[in-house]
Amino acid sequence: MNHDTGAADTHSVAALESGTRTAPGRVGEPGAAEEQFRGLLEAAPDAMVIVDHTGAIKLVNAQTEALFGYRREELLGQSVELLVPHRLRGHHTQHRNAYAANRQVRPMGAGLDLHGLRQDGTEFPVEISLSPLETADGLLISAAVRDVSDRKAAEERISELAALVESSQDAILAKTLDGYITYWNAAAQRLYGYTAAEVMGRHISLLAPSDHHEEIATLLGRLRLGEKVEHFETLRVTKAGVLLDVDVTMWPRRAPDGTVIGACAIVRDISDRKRAEAELTALYEQQRHVALTLQRSLMGTPPDVPGLVTASRYRPATQGAGVGGDWFDLIPLGAGRVGVLIGDVMGRGLEAAAVMGQLRSAAHALAKTGMQPRRLMQALDTCVADLDVPDQLVTCCYLVVAADEAKVTMCSAGHLPVLVAVPGDGAQPLSAPVNAPLGVGNVLYEQSSAAVPPGATLVLYTDGLIETPGCDIEDSLAALAATCGVLFTAAPPGLDIVADRILSALRPDAEGHDDDVTLLLAQLPAAPLASVTTTLSTRPESVPEGRTFLSKALAAWDCHAKADDARLLLSELLTNAVQHAQAPVTLHVCRTPTELTVEVSDSSPHLPEPRRAEEDEESGRGLNLVRILADSWGVRPTDDGKTTWFTLRL
């Protein structure tokens, strides 16, 4: 503030100094001038302190009381150094004396770093405007004091932020909404190779490859709408023409009224990360390929089984190692029988795949012996224990399909239910005892047999098909049964089409499953064209009786071409049964369009094996004869004994 030093003001100040009041009067009169001066002083927005040439405080306003915490009477007559921090008082006295010697108006904030001291001892930054005031009693100095704590704090914060921005390892730049660069930090220069002088005022498209200019326009459009763009990964080009993978975060810059007036961006070079990701992806794909190749090798390719139509699907997990412990197998058992096997080793990775490979090989070899399902499962349980893999559990299901008997014999070790889909009659679970998984130990496995009509389809699968996070397994089983019921209509499509549709319905997200998925469809062959059965005793007369029974059947089926071979081979089997077995002896003959099957069952558990007979031996040649003349032959154990069989192609 600067004051006129006229007589009226001089009179007023003198009166105020003495603490006297004059009667109010017209503006031009001394009393009126005093009241005007006092009113202006109290109305001033800043703290006003008036001191004499010695530094004694002569007059303060209410803002001074509020700012420094003193009452007015505590300040009047005190040295103005009372309001100055102790560490600055010596310098302040010198400055005050120098000002008295060289009087001039000093505007607010004239480049000095000034501080005030409150009554409670706290310091705060201030700006002071000084004005000399000549009075009749000598020089008075008017000081307008303004607290600039908030502004100083803001300036310090801005200075800190500016230092952070400039020292940031990420490129930081600002631009107009039209895309012209207005700020460029040191990291931006290091990243792009341009100095601030080279890019200031140039368009941001300078930094983008030519085929990304449309992308720049799109991003600017989003910023104009006030949208923040976070972690946008793209390509940028340096001054030297090198392409960089970058991560860009942009946000709109707003005016105090909220209007978008520009944009800022943080750009991070992620080229090293991208290269590492690419290398890791390539390595992962290589390892995944090796693992899947190993798994498929261990899983094997099931052979085509004459008369049995199948379709299978296997999907490795799309997350993690990908490989798992799923497997399935089809084992031709001869005499029109087929073994169907499916299993799942708990867990994932190469260890599960290795266990799966060993169990599949063991199960296949055991099944080829004609072993019954419950005995096979018992043997596999021992195999799991011998593998010495801690806490390893395996679910498994083994079925023996006898098409000529329209029967399926099954044993399940904790595996999911097998569905039977009959065209036009829906899909139902195949009834079977519930046994513990393999690896539990000390379990007596049970099996069951069920009638299954020819032409029905067995639906076997692993838990990856129906188990999903947050889904009840019973609901998933019901959904699978409903899907199969719809697909297996009176005239169902081919099994391959059905398999694809089941996967689409149950696992629509082909790339989002965390467990391998196995699905096997096996359609039972049509019923044999004809079959006959008779029971014989263990008397020697049973051999010619059996030949006669076979001859009549072959004559009725018009199978004369194979009649002699069939009678000869039957004679050998019946002779062995009569000599070495116990009654009763059952003869079963079955004909399909392609082959003739003859089975002889007895109650002896002893399984005959071909052997080389010495020249002087009368026995030991029968099975060798069967082995040579039959197209296939074998022996399978039964609950009551055994069955020896042979087939001849028609």
Side-chain angles (χ1 to χ4, degrees):
M1 293 177 63
N2 191 10
H3 299 286
D4 191 331
T5 57
D9 287 343
T10 303
H11 176 81
S12 299
V13 172
L16 289 171
E17 289 177 15
S18 62
T20 60
R21 292 178 179 269
T22 58
R26 294 191 307 276
V27 172
E29 296 177 354
E34 177 188 337
E35 290 301 324
Q36 282 182 327
F37 184 83
R38 183 181 292 277
L40 288 172
L41 196 68
E42 293 297 329
D46 298 318
M48 300 298 299
V49 180
I50 298 177
V51 300
D52 62 14
H53 68 283
T54 67
I57 299 174
K58 295 300 182 180
L59 190 63
V60 296
N61 63 355
Q63 283 77 5
T64 304
E65 294 180 279
L67 181 60
F68 288 95
Y70 290 97
R71 295 192 308 276
R72 193 181 305 239
E73 54 270 23
E74 293 176 312
L75 292 175
L76 295 178
Q78 297 292 328
S79 172
V80 72
E81 274 74 31
L82 177 68
L83 306 179
V84 177
H86 295 279
R87 58 187 176 85
L88 301 177
R89 286 179 182 176
H91 295 292
H92 185 267
T93 302
Q94 296 175 9
H95 289 308
R96 178 169 51 78
N97 292 334
Y99 182 80
N102 184 21
R103 307 166 193 174
Q104 60 181 354
V105 175
R106 194 188 74 187
M108 187 76 74
L112 297 178
D113 187 18
L114 305 175
H115 290 79
L117 180 66
R118 295 189 179 92
Q119 187 181 31
D120 61 8
T122 58
E123 293 186 19
F124 60 99
V126 296
E127 284 185 349
I128 301 177
S129 174
L130 298 177
S131 298
L133 187 65
E134 295 289 349
T135 69
D137 296 327
L139 174 68
L140 294 180
I141 300 172
S142 170
V145 184
R146 180 176 299 170
D147 183 358
V148 292
S149 299
D150 291 341
R151 195 185 76 197
K152 287 289 185 179
E155 289 176 352
E156 290 178 2
R157 180 60 177 161
I158 291 172
S159 178
E160 290 175 0
L161 290 176
L164 287 173
V165 168
E166 196 58 31
S167 63
S168 172
Q169 296 301 306
D170 294 327
I172 300 177
L173 54 129
K175 55 197 171 188
T176 66
L177 290 179
D178 293 331
Y180 292 96
I181 299 171
T182 58
Y183 178 78
W184 187 263
N185 74 341
Q189 178 175 334
R190 291 193 299 269
L191 179 64
Y192 291 110
Y194 293 100
T195 65
E198 289 176 312
V199 298
M200 207 65 68
R202 299 183 67 178
H203 199 270
I204 196 69
S205 59
L206 169 73
L207 308 175
S210 57
D211 57 348
H212 282 57
H213 287 181
E214 186 175 342
E215 170 194 292
I216 293 291
T218 302
L219 292 174
L220 289 173
R222 293 171 64 181
L223 291 169
R224 290 189 196 100
L225 296 175
E227 181 181 348
K228 183 178 180 180
V229 181
E230 294 188 87
H231 299 298
F232 181 79
E233 296 187 0
T234 184
L235 289 175
R236 290 293 180 260
V237 62
T238 69
K239 181 179 180 181
V242 178
L243 285 178
L244 299 175
D245 286 291
V246 296
D247 177 295
V248 183
T249 294
M250 293 170 284
W251 64 96
R253 188 163 53 88
R254 300 178 183 273
D257 63 357
T259 304
V260 178
I261 58 174
C264 296
I266 295 179
V267 184
R268 177 170 297 176
D269 183 2
I270 58 173
S271 300
D272 290 342
R273 192 195 83 192
K274 285 292 186 179
R275 280 192 294 272
E277 288 176 353
E279 292 172 359
L280 186 62
T281 299
L283 180 60
Y284 172 78
E285 288 301 324
Q286 181 182 8
Q287 293 177 339
R288 179 180 171 86
H289 175 72
V290 171
L292 292 179
T293 301
L294 172 63
Q295 184 182 36
R296 290 192 172 98
S297 175
L298 293 172
M299 180 182 289
T301 302
D304 292 331
V305 179
L308 188 69
V309 181
T310 63
S312 61
R313 296 291 183 272
Y314 174 73
R315 283 185 182 174
T318 58
Q319 301 171 18
V323 297
D326 287 9
W327 90 90
F328 66 91
D329 202 358
L330 299 172
I331 306 103
L333 302 177
R337 283 170 166 73
V338 180
V340 182
L341 189 70
I342 191 166
D344 185 3
V345 179
M346 298 298 178
R348 292 167 55 193
L350 291 178
E351 184 178 64
V355 172
M356 174 271 290
Q358 296 177 78
L359 290 180
R360 180 188 181 278
S361 298
H364 188 93
L366 292 169
K368 292 294 285 186
T369 68
M371 185 179 289
Q372 295 187 74
R374 63 182 176 83
R375 295 186 182 276
L376 182 142
M377 215 60 70
Q378 208 80 49
L380 284 182
D381 184 57
T382 303
C383 289
V384 173
D386 290 343
L387 290 175
D388 194 26
V389 180
D391 303 323
Q392 183 66 75
L393 292 179
V394 180
T395 66
C396 186
C397 184
Y398 179 53
L399 304 89
V400 174
V401 179
D404 61 330
E405 300 178 23
K407 183 178 72 172
V408 171
T409 303
M410 181 178 78
C411 181
S412 174
H415 203 75
L416 294 165
V418 176
L419 298 182
V420 179
V422 180
D425 197 24
Q428 299 296 329
L430 190 62
S431 178
V434 178
N435 297 303
L438 303 176
V440 173
N442 198 27
V443 175
L444 185 62
Y445 289 93
E446 300 179 17
Q447 67 183 35
S448 64
S449 297
V452 177
T457 301
L458 301 174
V459 182
L460 299 94
Y461 50 93
T462 56
D463 56 1
L465 179 67
I466 63 170
E467 287 189 5
T468 55
C471 181
D472 185 84
I473 192 170
E474 294 297 332
D475 294 338
S476 297
L477 281 171
L480 175 60
T483 300
C484 292
V486 171
L487 293 174
F488 287 98
T489 58
L495 287 191
D496 282 311
I497 296 176
V498 171
D500 289 335
R501 291 181 179 176
I502 290 175
L503 284 181
S504 297
L506 273 296
R507 302 299 307 214
D509 183 8
E511 299 300 325
H513 52 279
D514 58 0
D515 193 8
D516 44 351
V517 177
T518 299
L519 173 66
L520 174 63
L521 305 179
Q523 189 176 59
L524 273 67
L529 297 180
S531 65
V532 290
T533 304
T534 187
T535 302
L536 303 171
S537 66
T538 53
R539 297 178 298 109
E541 292 82 2
S542 295
V543 176
E545 289 176 8
R547 284 200 300 266
T548 301
F549 180 82
L550 176 60
S551 296
K552 290 180 179 179
L554 295 179
W557 299 339
D558 194 21
C559 293
H560 303 290
K562 294 293 182 177
D564 292 339
D565 289 344
R567 282 192 293 267
L568 175 60
L569 299 180
L570 175 61
S571 296
E572 297 298 332
L573 297 186
L574 285 176
T575 299
N576 282 343
V578 168
Q579 290 180 352
H580 306 293
Q582 301 174 358
V585 175
T586 302
L587 172 60
H588 178 72
V589 185
C590 172
R591 183 206 169 182
T592 69
T594 59
E595 66 182 14
L596 175 72
T597 300
V598 178
E599 299 179 346
V600 176
S601 302
D602 59 59
S603 56
S604 172
H606 176 69
L607 304 182
E609 296 182 3
R611 63 182 178 84
R612 184 180 298 276
E614 299 297 334
E615 292 183 1
D616 58 346
E617 286 186 287
E618 295 183 0
S619 62
R621 296 177 176 82
L623 286 182
N624 280 321
L625 188 62
V626 173
R627 181 174 60 85
I628 293 170
L629 295 180
D631 291 305
S632 62
W633 79 282
V635 182
R636 64 174 181 271
T638 65
D639 287 335
D640 300 324
K642 66 178 178 296
T643 296
T644 308
W645 56 269
F646 67 85
T647 62
L648 296 171
R649 282 194 294 271
L650 299 178

